[in-house]
Amino acid sequence: MKYHLVTFGCQANERDSETIAGLLREIGYERVEEPTQADLILFNTCCVREKAENKVLSRIGELKDLKSQNPHLIIGICGCMVQQEKIVEKIRRRAPHVDLIFGTHNIHELPELVQSIKNLRVPQVHILPDREEIVEGLPSHREFPFKALVNITYGCNNFCTYCIVPYVRGREKSRLPEHILKEISAMSEDGVLEVMLLGQNVNSYGKDLTPPTTFAELLQQVNAIPGLARIRYMTSHPRDFSDELISTIAGLNKVSRHFHLPVQAGSNDILRKMNRGYTREEYLTLVRKIKNTFPEASITTDIIVGFPGESEEDFEDTLKLVEEVRFDSAFTFIYSPRTGTPAAKMPEQIAESVKKSRLQRLMKLQNRISLEINQQLKGKVMEVLVEGESKTSPEMLTGRTDTNKTVIFPGPLSLTGKLVPVKITVPQTWILKGELVEVI
Ligand code: SAH
Ligand code: SF4
Ligand code: F3S
């Protein structure tokens, strides 16, 4: 039996897809890249912005013909999108050929659900709004043997007013440190060099545990695992990035010097309406502390333009903040109203044309800064974890620096999964081109 799995959204979904792949392998399914060859097609969906959702619905629509040619084909939708209110009816209406719908808290039920569809030939819908306990010990199948995603918390309690994640991913829950450490130790014995610790707000890790623990303590324990070379984490909430955490990271050699700190907006008025819990000044202070402690740090961010009520002046505050911080790069988004979130009901929604032109202005500024920062890396030798052949530049290798910059350079494929020194020769806005210095 063969399955085809398409993943949308963030690393939380990517990690869930690894579990889905692991579960399907246990019941005898093999992965295929072509949907036409599959007996089971699954879409692991995202709904953080409207565009993501429309993409899924149109992709599912395209499968109608495949289903009529092969009535035994199972088509499934899972992930964040299906956790929304009234979405099941919408999917049923727009895509009656879907057989399987399961939520983010029901992934472990997938083998039974597939079996039920095969036995009974009736669609299966399993969606729990939330789950008290974390299901541990599920099988998983990673894309890369040398790097791995590791959940440390699930869900989110922050309720930023624009964001749907807390509604579709449930309340924040921390995994027990012993479960996390056991998983990472096993990965490291398996040859994993880099782990990415995942949570919507990693800085609040452990507050809900008895006895409580902290993200800083967890990092210390992960840093002590032999064999690991790099520890990344995502995402940090600027409000919760403590001085203790900065000084802990300073003492840990494996923790990446990449700081992804989503600022979202540069105006205090908008930050307050977003319920972010910090001011522009507090954010700038945090950035200053990080830059002082880690002169080599790369700092990246997420920014939303066109939040309800964002005036030209508010937007200019964002541009000024970007100039002041000088981010290495930024993910920039047009505000997308999400049903059920407070911001969707706020007055003064911004016209699409204004949002688009603000996004262009912001991107232009950020691209200029990214290039300027990268140009300073010319001639520098950086350690790169090689990921394999570049998709965009064939016959070149691609990898990432500790600071999460993509480096492309010529070299043998046998370096995949290794840490190698690369001299940066041609820095660009999005990537650094380089040449291998020596093979360790
Ligand atoms: N927990 C993480 C990631 C959340 S989703 C965090 O707090 O940073 C990733 C990014 O999507 C967010 O940082 C935000 O910039 C963006 N985003 C979330 N909801 C959005 C919306 N309704 N419209 C546009 N962008 C949004
Ligand atoms: Fe969404 Fe805010 Fe939670 Fe991030 S911290 S997932 S932006 S509610
Ligand atoms: Fe999307 Fe869900 Fe992640 S809504 S951004 S896949 S948590």
Side-chain angles (χ1 to χ4, degrees), residues 131-413:
R131 176 180 290 282
E132 280 293 316
E133 76 293 355
I134 293 171
V135 186
E136 289 288 350
L138 295 178
S140 170
H141 182 65
R142 280 198 310 276
E143 187 188 345
F144 294 103
F146 49 88
K147 63 172 197 171
L149 301 170
V150 178
N151 288 313
I152 65 165
T153 66
Y154 295 94
C156 184
N157 287 354
N158 282 318
F159 291 95
C160 303
T161 54
Y162 51 81
C163 185
I164 200 161
V165 172
Y167 303 89
V168 296
R169 284 276 171 178
R171 291 297 57 73
E172 187 174 86
K173 285 172 278 291
S174 302
R175 282 180 81 194
L176 289 170
E178 51 265 40
H179 287 146
I180 298 169
L181 297 169
K182 196 171 143 209
E183 185 179 8
I184 301 179
S185 298
M187 287 168 162
S188 145
E189 279 167 27
D190 214 23
V192 167
L193 291 178
E194 178 183 298
V195 288
M196 163 79 93
L197 309 178
L198 293 180
Q200 297 299 341
N201 175 8
V202 292
N203 309 119
S204 69
Y205 171 76
K207 286 182 186 155
D208 56 328
L209 294 176
T210 18
T213 178
T214 63
F215 182 55
E217 281 166 344
L218 181 71
L219 280 180
Q220 281 168 329
Q221 290 167 308
V222 177
N223 197 79
I225 295 176
L228 276 189
R230 279 183 185 172
I231 303 163
R232 299 189 186 282
Y233 51 90
M234 224 176 162
T235 303
S236 290
H237 196 300
R239 181 197 58 210
D240 298 327
F241 210 106
S242 63
D243 290 353
E244 182 212 357
L245 183 57
I246 296 178
S247 59
T248 301
I249 293 175
L252 299 175
N253 60 329
K254 297 178 186 172
V255 179
S256 161
R257 270 41 174 162
H258 169 218
F259 297 82
H260 182 63
L261 291 168
V263 67
Q264 313 297 0
S267 137
N268 279 335
D269 197 26
I270 298 296
L271 285 171
R272 191 176 39 76
K273 288 183 185 159
M274 286 178 161
N275 191 30
R276 288 293 289 177
Y278 52 84
T279 60
R280 153 195 192 92
E281 292 75 22
E282 283 163 342
Y283 185 88
L284 289 170
T285 303
L286 173 62
V287 167
R288 206 168 312 120
K289 283 185 199 160
I290 290 173
K291 285 189 171 178
N292 287 342
T293 315
F294 309 98
E296 75 282 30
S298 74
I299 302 182
T300 61
T301 199
D302 292 354
I303 298 171
I304 298 174
V305 300
F307 184 84
E310 185 188 67
S311 63
E312 174 60 25
E313 209 181 347
D314 290 323
F315 173 65
E316 282 170 14
D317 280 346
T318 297
L319 295 178
K320 276 185 229 146
L321 181 130
V322 167
E323 289 264 26
E324 205 164 322
V325 175
R326 292 181 62 79
F327 293 107
D328 286 76
S329 67
F331 293 108
T332 51
F333 307 106
I334 284 184
Y335 168 71
S336 168
R338 306 281 59 210
T339 309
T341 63
K345 292 194 256 5
M346 286 180 187
E348 298 183 85
Q349 298 285 329
I350 307 294
E352 218 43 47
S353 56
V354 176
K355 290 187 200 173
K356 280 189 183 147
S357 99
R358 286 183 185 165
L359 184 75
Q360 290 309 319
R361 287 162 68 195
L362 176 61
M363 284 169 64
K364 199 170 156 214
L365 170 63
Q366 180 54 51
N367 289 350
R368 193 198 82 213
I369 294 171
S370 295
L371 181 61
E372 283 168 5
I373 292 179
N374 285 346
Q375 273 166 344
Q376 288 165 3
L377 298 173
K378 191 172 165 147
K380 207 175 159 188
V381 176
M382 301 182 90
E383 189 178 59
V384 173
L385 178 57
V386 184
E387 292 182 0
E389 190 182 6
S390 161
K391 288 195 180 96
T392 44
S393 316
E395 294 181 25
M396 298 279 266
L397 295 177
T398 180
R400 278 172 196 258
T401 65
D402 173 64
T403 48
N404 207 33
K405 299 204 182 245
T406 299
V407 181
I408 289 183
F409 60 100
L413 265 179

Side-chain angles (χ1 to χ4, degrees), residues 104-125:
T104 52
H105 310 287
N106 303 72
I107 294 175
H108 58 290
E109 297 167 21
L110 178 59
E112 295 160 48
L113 293 171
V114 170
Q115 205 49 53
S116 303
I117 297 175
K118 284 186 180 168
N119 293 346
L120 311 169
R121 302 304 320 169
V122 287
Q124 298 289 319
V125 179

